[in-house]
Amino acid sequence: MSTPPDAQRMEKIVSLCKRRGFIFQSSEIYGGLNGAWDYGPLGVELKRNLKNYWWQVTVHERDDVVGMDGSILTHPAVLQASGHVEGFSDPMIDCRTCKAHLRSDQLVEKKGVKQCPNCGGKDLTAPRQFNLMFETHVGAAADESSIAYLRPETAQSIFVQFKNILEVSRKKLPFGIAQIGKAFRNEINPRNFTFRSREFEQMELEYFCRAEQGMELLEYWKEERLKFYENIGIPRSKLHVLTVPDDERAFYSKGTYDIEYDFPFGRQELEGVAYRTDYDLSQHQKKSGKPLEYFDEETKQRFVPHVVEPSAGVDRTVLALICEAYSEDQAPDEKGKMEARIVLRFHPRMAPVKCGVFPLLKNNPQLVAKAREIVALLRPHMTVFYDESGAIGRRYRRQDEIGTPFGVTVDFETLGEKDAALRDTVTLRDRDSMKQERVSIHDLAGILQTRIG
Ligand code: GAP
């Protein structure tokens, strides 16, 4: 059972994202560009942590995967061969009453009659296919001969470069090619904050294999991807695997799973894991006339490999991380009175800032100098935020709200004024339990690195 949508929670999340600099509407001062978003100072750190971790576990920690970074501008022949020019479209319907353009699956049905979800109007056009690709022109001439597309998925450049990468990497099947990058879709109705955007990023792996390995590898990658989400702080209980039914799968796919997450606006897709067979490479081989086969030296066979594709959305995962982390609880103020606290409980691995460093008093040069020393000590290892303004409880609260998992306070014990044995120790505060412990500055970087993971 999916949990009921929670519009109020979503509103609070969107407002926090703007207030603290995670995500802004693109071109906001000109009224905004629908379906496009800008990531602010904290959002960009969160996004980088996600992409870096994906790259680490998908490419760096494996012998069987290499990376690439393809161009966004795409030759029309590539997308003709892949089927996107002909068929990458959604059925669109217009409401003649409020003039809204709607995807046909967004209509609401009351007493068997389809209605516009915005105004309830029943005067609707017949569905027509709307191609989601952004077309542009390359060079000075704006005619048929100069058409190019902004890629609608990163996958196609991997297929098109398959032969080059196979030759330079000398990998044996099964092996994968990974890519993180922008993709563009002219979505009819962008919505749910960044969830459905017109410009977004994907993290895609094309894992090439023999035909007989396809179904087994589909299961393997589904499990690997579920583990990934758990390792970034999205619990298994909030993830759901949908087996895409035969009649909804792409015709060339022999099996597809959608990994879904319980967003506050409902259960929605985070990632698709699809067994795409040899469709893409075969199409490109046929249309380009260039061989895209693999030669198996043991069996002396030449064949077009099959592929299993885990394809994740960066922006959707960032949104899931924020939704999962958002929490409200109670914390004591300066006088010990409980007050409401907003806290982002990010997994430390994902947190944009790992550690806040605070001198107890900003007008004590010794405390400030020591705190600055600690900042310099930690900065080569992690993102650190130095804050000397306001009461210490306020400073903790500001860091809680952006999800900083650790806070280090430099106090008079650190200077050895009360007890010489405590010289060069600091208090280390945990965001979630709010417990404080005394640790030596010497051990600090090591302790934090272990806890960040
Ligand atoms: N290469 C396969 C492919 O692109 P997809 O299911 O269309 O498959 C993969 O997209 C992932 O890309 C989705 O699961 C989602 O996370 C992300 N994605 C797709 N369209 C998106 C959009 N309009 N806005 C944000 N993310 C999107």
Side-chain angles (χ1 to χ4, degrees):
M1 272 273 293
S2 82
T3 42
D6 186 345
Q8 210 189 2
R9 180 177 168 83
M10 200 56 214
E11 267 170 39
K12 288 181 187 171
I13 289 169
V14 173
S15 147
L16 176 70
C17 282
K18 178 168 182 194
R19 181 157 44 83
R20 296 310 310 265
F22 283 91
I23 301 170
F24 307 118
Q25 196 183 11
S26 174
S27 313
E28 191 190 72
I29 61 169
Y30 290 102
L33 179 64
N34 198 7
W37 301 93
D38 295 338
Y39 288 77
L42 293 175
V44 71
E45 296 294 337
L46 178 60
K47 208 179 190 199
R48 261 170 203 259
N49 290 342
L50 170 66
K51 292 192 284 184
N52 289 347
Y53 185 62
W54 186 90
W55 197 260
Q56 180 193 319
V57 300
T58 312
V59 183
H60 291 174
E61 290 180 6
R62 299 184 65 107
D63 280 334
D64 57 351
V65 178
V66 291
M68 71 163 282
D69 186 18
S71 72
I72 286 168
L73 287 175
T74 307
H75 195 299
V78 171
L79 296 160
Q80 271 151 11
S82 65
H84 285 85
V85 171
E86 185 64 28
F88 193 57
S89 51
D90 274 344
M92 182 168 85
I93 286 172
D94 296 335
C95 170
R96 291 198 184 91
T97 312
C98 72
K99 312 287 178 229
H101 303 298
L102 305 160
R103 266 188 10 201
S104 59
D105 62 353
Q106 291 173 332
L107 296 181
V108 289
E109 196 164 328
K110 284 199 182 139
K111 294 185 186 147
V113 181
K114 296 244 162 89
Q115 298 186 358
C116 170
N118 298 336
C119 70
K122 299 183 191 79
D123 189 6
L124 307 167
T125 63
R128 63 188 185 284
Q129 289 303 318
F130 175 77
N131 194 298
L132 300 181
M133 285 200 297
F134 281 100
E135 193 181 289
T136 186
H137 291 273
V138 170
D143 56 24
E144 278 288 306
S145 68
S146 64
I147 289 177
Y149 295 98
L150 305 189
R151 63 181 176 194
E153 60 174 10
T154 66
Q156 292 306 321
S157 53
I158 299 182
F159 297 128
V160 170
Q161 292 299 349
F162 169 76
K163 198 72 181 180
N164 279 334
I165 294 175
L166 178 65
E167 272 166 21
V168 296
S169 66
R170 299 169 56 229
K171 292 283 174 204
K172 303 261 174 286
L173 288 181
F175 78 94
I177 304 174
Q179 177 166 210
I180 299 179
K182 290 265 186 181
F184 300 82
R185 297 182 190 176
N186 196 3
E187 297 285 354
I188 295 169
N189 222 334
R191 67 204 158 119
N192 288 330
F193 199 21
T194 57
F195 179 83
R196 192 175 300 285
S197 307
R198 289 182 168 136
E199 174 175 344
F200 55 95
E201 268 183 285
Q202 292 183 315
M203 306 182 280
E204 295 200 298
L205 170 67
E206 304 303 326
Y207 197 77
F208 299 98
C209 62
R210 292 178 172 79
E212 59 273 23
Q213 297 171 304
M215 290 312 280
E216 197 184 316
L217 284 167
L218 176 68
E219 295 305 312
Y220 168 80
W221 279 109
K222 182 223 341 157
E223 291 304 320
E224 285 297 296
R225 297 303 304 145
L226 287 168
K227 270 188 244 159
F228 175 87
Y229 289 110
E230 290 187 81
N231 287 340
I232 59 172
I234 300 183
R236 187 67 182 81
S237 58
K238 295 276 203 69
L239 295 168
H240 306 276
V241 178
L242 173 84
T243 305
V244 178
D246 292 355
D247 57 338
E248 288 176 28
R249 270 198 326 257
F251 69 89
Y252 50 78
S253 168
K254 280 204 175 152
T256 301
Y257 293 118
D258 284 349
I259 299 179
E260 300 180 320
Y261 170 71
D262 286 328
F263 286 95
F265 44 83
R267 186 172 294 174
Q268 296 281 352
E269 177 188 329
L270 265 187
E271 162 159 3
V273 186
Y275 172 24
R276 295 174 74 128
T277 65
D278 60 353
Y279 171 76
D280 300 273
L281 286 182
S282 297
Q283 279 294 105
H284 289 302
Q285 174 166 275
K286 195 160 98 196
K287 301 285 178 178
S288 68
K290 305 277 172 9
L292 295 178
E293 288 163 326
Y294 175 86
F295 179 65
D296 187 324
E297 280 168 19
E298 276 169 35
T299 62
K300 308 291 176 215
Q301 281 178 322
R302 209 174 277 283
F303 59 92
V304 175
H306 281 224
V307 73
V308 173
E309 176 199 66
S311 170
V314 174
D315 308 77
R316 283 190 190 176
T317 310
V318 165
L319 185 58
L321 287 171
I322 296 174
C323 292
E324 188 58 37
Y326 184 89
S327 153
E328 293 171 9
D329 66 5
Q330 298 277 313
D333 69 5
E334 294 305 302
K335 298 186 182 101
K337 195 169 143 257
M338 295 309 268
E339 61 173 9
R341 158 176 101 140
I342 292 176
V343 52
L344 290 181
R345 297 187 195 279
F346 288 128
H347 188 296
R349 191 176 271 144
M350 291 294 113
V353 178
K354 308 295 184 205
C355 184
V357 178
F358 319 112
L360 189 62
L361 299 174
K362 74 169 175 189
N363 53 9
N364 180 307
Q366 282 175 290
L367 290 175
V368 168
K370 205 59 170 173
R372 291 277 185 203
E373 252 177 55
I374 293 171
V375 169
L377 186 83
L378 296 180
R379 275 219 166 120
H381 309 286
M382 65 196 72
T383 44
V384 178
F385 188 82
Y386 173 80
D387 188 1
E388 58 178 25
S389 63
I392 195 76
R394 290 275 132 236
R395 285 184 258 168
Y396 287 153
R397 218 58 85 242
R398 285 200 288 265
Q399 293 305 308
D400 290 343
E401 209 184 37
I402 62 167
T404 306
F406 306 108
V408 165
T409 305
V410 176
D411 53 20
F412 292 103
E413 269 99 342
T414 315
L415 305 179
E417 286 188 5
K418 293 192 175 159
D419 177 352
L422 294 179
R423 180 184 294 279
D424 284 335
T425 64
V426 288
T427 61
L428 176 58
R429 174 185 180 268
D430 179 89
R431 172 198 67 202
D432 296 338
S433 65
M434 292 184 271
K435 291 216 173 87
Q436 303 201 8
E437 62 189 306
R438 197 101 212 145
V439 303
S440 106
I441 295 174
H442 178 265
D443 298 336
L444 193 57
I447 293 174
L448 292 177
Q449 278 175 295
T450 311
R451 292 186 191 174
I452 291 164

